[in-house]
Amino acid sequence: MRIILLGAPGAGKGTVAKLLTAYDGSVQISTGDILRGAVKAGSELGKKAKGYMERGELVPDSLIMEIMEARLQEPDCAKGFILDGFPRTIPQAEDLEKLLAKLKLKLDLVANLEVPRDVILDRLTTRRTCSNQDCQEIYNIKSKPPSPDGKCLKCGSPAIQRADETVEAITVRLETYNQKTAPLIGFYGKVGILKNVSSLSSEQSVKEITGAIKK
Ligand code: AMP
């Protein structure tokens, strides 16, 4: 499948994407994960992206398109891809259209994960993420806690609160989402491939998405 997951930070895009990869072997492409990896590695890309990310702002479109142009042509994308956190602006969506046309690929669906704002705020402030770049298991201190000493249950690395999951950064991220990313709902609505999904349960979202693709 070739799909885009839209939704505010904390809507569950990462969790739903991971579940969808198990469905047909499509690969999850998270621009957030790619950027966090670059920051940790201290690469040129990471140095350019770090400040924007820590403030909860978007990284410039040109940097993101450079990443995506290369990523979508890697061999593991042949089975399909689930775009998690990209596109995030109208210019990115327009550039993606051009890139897909060049690669002779078509999207199957754009799933918009809808979650009430209070649920999102609660989810983000209680989220912990495994600090091991190759694991990145997601925890929640209320519903899915790491070990009592704060370690990942899968790999034993510390499960940490991301720098952009402080209340200040979350507020900026949600505002940025409303201003820059929410207009994509109208953009893909016009293209005719949008499906709104109520994302209170990840399993239910996956059912709705795979059901819509089969039709
Ligand atoms: P995420 O994990 O998807 O919430 O992304 C974390 C941060 O990475 C965002 O707050 C942005 O600073 C940056 N980022 C991720 N994806 C994009 C994108 N498509 N466009 C611009 N910035 C992005």
Side-chain angles (χ1 to χ4, degrees):
M1 70 180 98
R2 287 189 286 271
I3 69 170
I4 292 174
L5 295 180
L6 280 184
K13 298 186 295 294
T15 309
V16 170
K18 281 201 178 68
L19 291 171
L20 284 170
T21 58
Y23 177 73
D24 72 350
S26 298
V27 64
Q28 173 189 11
I29 303 179
S30 156
T31 39
D33 284 351
I34 294 172
L35 291 167
R36 276 184 289 280
V39 170
K40 206 165 179 207
S43 68
E44 273 311 302
L45 170 66
K47 283 183 200 146
K48 287 181 191 157
K50 191 167 186 267
Y52 296 101
M53 294 176 74
E54 284 181 354
R55 290 189 297 274
E57 295 167 10
L58 292 183
V59 170
D61 291 336
S62 56
L63 276 184
I64 299 290
M65 289 317 301
E66 237 175 77
I67 299 173
M68 290 308 294
E69 173 133 25
R71 184 67 188 88
L72 287 179
Q73 296 186 62
E74 282 177 25
D76 63 346
C77 290
K79 272 195 179 171
F81 47 77
I82 299 147
L83 302 184
D84 156 14
F86 169 85
R88 249 177 150 112
T89 63
I90 296 276
Q92 288 181 18
E94 288 170 346
D95 283 351
L96 175 64
E97 301 252 286
K98 287 181 210 147
L99 178 58
L100 291 175
K102 187 174 108 182
L103 302 176
K104 298 193 171 53
L105 296 174
K106 266 193 106 176
L107 290 173
D108 297 309
L109 190 79
V110 177
N112 176 36
L113 307 186
E114 298 179 302
V115 183
R117 189 185 160 94
D118 53 335
V119 176
I120 284 188
L121 276 177
D122 185 62
R123 268 190 199 169
L124 287 177
T125 47
T126 53
R127 183 151 85 177
R128 298 293 180 269
T129 307
C130 173
S131 55
N132 172 0
Q133 211 53 46
D134 297 326
C135 176
Q136 301 197 47
E137 183 73 2
I138 293 169
Y139 293 93
N140 181 290
I141 51 174
K142 290 185 190 165
S143 59
K144 186 193 167 192
S147 73
D149 60 347
K151 300 273 166 58
C152 173
L153 299 178
K154 277 196 171 166
C155 75
S157 304
I160 54 161
Q161 184 166 29
R162 278 168 35 182
D164 63 354
E165 285 175 353
T166 60
V167 174
E168 295 76 20
I170 289 168
T171 308
V172 177
R173 285 166 73 199
L174 290 177
E175 261 167 37
T176 307
Y177 170 79
N178 286 336
Q179 278 176 17
K180 304 252 172 83
T181 309
L184 293 179
I185 299 168
F187 180 95
Y188 287 113
K190 276 193 207 136
V191 179
I193 51 171
L194 181 80
K195 179 169 176 59
N196 288 313
V197 176
S198 164
S199 186
L200 285 174
S201 133
S202 310
E203 285 75 16
Q204 184 59 31
S205 306
V206 168
K207 259 192 208 152
E208 286 187 37
I209 293 168
T210 51
I213 286 175
K214 271 189 216 143
K215 271 184 204 153

